[in-house]
Amino acid sequence: MPDDRLDEQEETWGSLYGLITKVLDGLGTADPMGAGDYLVVDDNYGFRCNTVEVHSLTMLRPAVIRALQVQLADADDWEIVVAVDNPRYGGSVAADGPDHPSRRDHRRPPAKLLSDGVPGSRLRGQPGGQGLRLI
């Protein structure tokens, strides 16, 4: 990658990192060890994306996802990767944990939680979307 494109990538990545952090600070608690609601990953690997690890499924509410999408308005060809990671259960949901399907509100299944009312959201492998990838 030429130096000017690298500089642009670093500048945009840093700007989005700050915007994402500011938005999520008002919506939940950050914690790199998983005790909070989320983590904005502070490693820049040179791609045109920023990553948020979600430790609490409440951070997948449509209002939170929309707030993240808005941050991409001036960032062409960028995306925010939202990855569900629950370190309290070894990175996955434990069979008896509070987030287990048997304890969910079955009136609103998880698939609806991810996409209901969120124009442009998409799951990995689906076309479209406004730069937001939920994995």
Side-chain angles (χ1 to χ4, degrees), residues 39-102:
L39 166 68
V40 181
V41 177
D42 62 359
D43 294 321
N44 179 359
Y45 295 109
F47 301 110
R48 298 178 69 80
C49 70
N50 291 69
T51 302
V52 176
E53 292 179 2
V54 171
H55 304 144
S56 169
L57 297 180
T58 61
M59 297 303 289
L60 295 176
R61 294 183 319 258
V64 176
I65 301 304
R66 274 191 223 95
L68 291 173
Q69 285 178 315
V70 168
Q71 306 314 306
L72 294 170
D74 296 324
D76 292 337
D77 298 326
W78 276 79
E79 65 182 8
I80 298 172
V81 175
V82 178
V84 177
D85 180 23
N86 195 325
R88 291 174 284 210
Y89 303 113
S92 61
V93 178
D96 60 349
D99 295 329
H100 186 267
S102 66

Side-chain angles (χ1 to χ4, degrees), residues 10 14 94-95 108 113:
E10 289 174 347
R108 186 177 181 114
L113 178 69

Side-chain angles (χ1 to χ4, degrees), residues 18-28 38 59 63-64 67-68 71:
L19 291 170
I20 293 165
T21 300
K22 184 176 180 179
V23 165
L24 293 180
D25 281 349
L27 299 171
Y38 69 92
M59 297 303 289
V64 176
L68 291 173
Q71 306 314 306

